[in-house]
Amino acid sequence: MPELPEVETVRRGLQPAMEGSRIVKAEARRKDLRFPFQKDFIARLEGQTVTGLGRRAKYLMADLTSGDVLLMHLGMSGSFRVHKEEGDATQGQFHHPRSEDRAHDHVVFHMSSGAAVVFNDPRRFGYMKIIARNALEDEPLLKGLGPEPLGNEFDAAMLARACHNKKTSLKAALLDQRVVAGLGNIYVCEALFRAHLSPRRLAATLATRKAEPTNHSTHLVDAIHSVLNQAIKAGGSSISDHRLTNGDLGYFQHSFQVYDREGEPCRTRGCGGTVQRFTQNGRSTFWCPKCQK
C-alpha cells in the first residue's frame, strides 16, 4: 500500500497536468472500483476546473470550481499516467503506470490543457468519490484522521497527548491513522530505528503522567520528519512498482536502515547488533533489538 511519500510523489507529478485545467470530458469505464461510482460522478466532473490538487493522509484531493472535491485513493495497485491527446506516442512526463495493461484503465480525465490523465488499477482496490467541500468534515473516509506528520500541528507535545495512557505498542499507535495520518509500515519501522525506540515499547512512554512530552517523543517526531522528507525527496520507495514522475523508480529503498534487512548488521555506528524481523499486528516489523530500546 502506498504511504505518504509515494502519494505525495504522485500528487506532485499530476499537479502540472491537472491544476488550473478544466475537465473537458470524464470517463468511468466500469461501474465501480473498490466502491461503486456515484450516479452523478461524471456529471459533477465535466466542465469543472481543478483549482488545486492536494493531499490528506494517503488521499489525493482535487478542488473543483463547483465547490466539490474529488477524493482519490490509489489502493494497492492503482496508478496514474498522463499523455497528450494527440496520441499515445507523445507521452507526458508522468506516464509510467504500475500496470501496462490498458484493460485496467478504468478512469480517464480529458483536460483542457490537451492532456489525458488515466487511472489504471488491476486489483481495483482504489476508489474515487466526489464530496462537497463544506461536507468534508463529516465525510466518513476523512473523519477522525489525525494531523499530518509534516504539518505544523504535529509536534512532540501533540504526539505525547495522543499517546498518553495508551496501552498499545508504539508501532501500533503510529500506524493508527487517528494518531497521525499517512504513516505506514515502512516509514514507521524506519522512524523508530532512527529514534532508537523499540516497536514493542508502550506508546504511553512518550508522555509523562501529566501528558507532557518526554525526550522519546521529541526524538521520534524529529525522526518522522527526517525520514518522510528524505523519502519524498527520493520519490518514495519502490518495493515493487512505484515510480517517479519521470518514469524512474523511487529510490528511497536504497536508504532503508532496517526495513527488509533481516539478518544484516545494524547500521548504527558501534552497535554490533543484527536486524531482526517479527510479526506485529499482522505486519512485518524490522528492528535492531540491541540499539532500539
Side-chain angles (χ1 to χ4, degrees), residues 146-147 153-163 178-180 213 217:
E153 184 182 350
F154 183 71
D155 58 16
M158 175 270 138
L159 184 58
R161 289 193 299 270
C163 292
R178 296 168 297 181
V179 173
V180 55
S217 182

Side-chain angles (χ1 to χ4, degrees), residues 51-198:
T51 58
L53 187 64
R55 180 193 53 75
R56 177 70 171 110
K58 301 175 186 179
Y59 292 97
L60 294 168
M61 301 176 68
D63 280 286
L64 307 176
T65 46
S66 62
D68 284 335
V69 176
L70 172 61
L71 193 73
M72 298 173 280
H73 195 284
L74 296 173
M76 295 182 68
S77 62
S79 64
F80 285 93
R81 74 178 186 274
V82 175
H83 66 80
K84 297 294 183 180
E85 294 280 30
E86 293 82 44
D88 290 349
T90 306
Q91 296 290 345
Q93 190 178 30
F94 186 74
H95 69 273
H96 285 267
R98 297 183 181 191
S99 169
E100 295 290 348
D101 189 344
R102 299 300 187 263
H104 301 303
D105 288 351
H106 301 311
V107 181
V108 184
F109 305 120
H110 301 271
M111 311 302 296
S112 60
S113 61
V117 177
V118 183
F119 181 69
N120 181 288
D121 189 1
R123 297 188 185 182
R124 299 200 306 275
F125 284 162
Y127 48 92
M128 297 184 185
K129 183 177 182 180
I130 301 175
I131 307 162
R133 166 58 71 175
N134 59 14
L136 282 179
E137 289 187 3
D138 297 320
E139 169 54 42
L141 293 171
L142 301 174
K143 196 172 184 179
L145 283 177
E148 289 289 318
L150 294 177
N152 293 331
E153 184 182 350
F154 183 71
D155 58 16
M158 175 270 138
L159 184 58
R161 289 193 299 270
C163 292
H164 184 235
N165 289 332
K166 270 191 175 293
K167 301 185 184 302
T168 60
S169 70
L170 185 49
K171 185 184 178 187
L174 293 177
L175 288 176
D176 186 343
Q177 299 299 292
R178 296 168 297 181
V179 173
V180 55
L183 289 182
N185 195 42
I186 292 174
Y187 298 106
V188 168
C189 286
E190 290 294 309
L192 288 173
F193 175 78
R194 294 185 183 209
H196 299 294
L197 296 176
S198 168

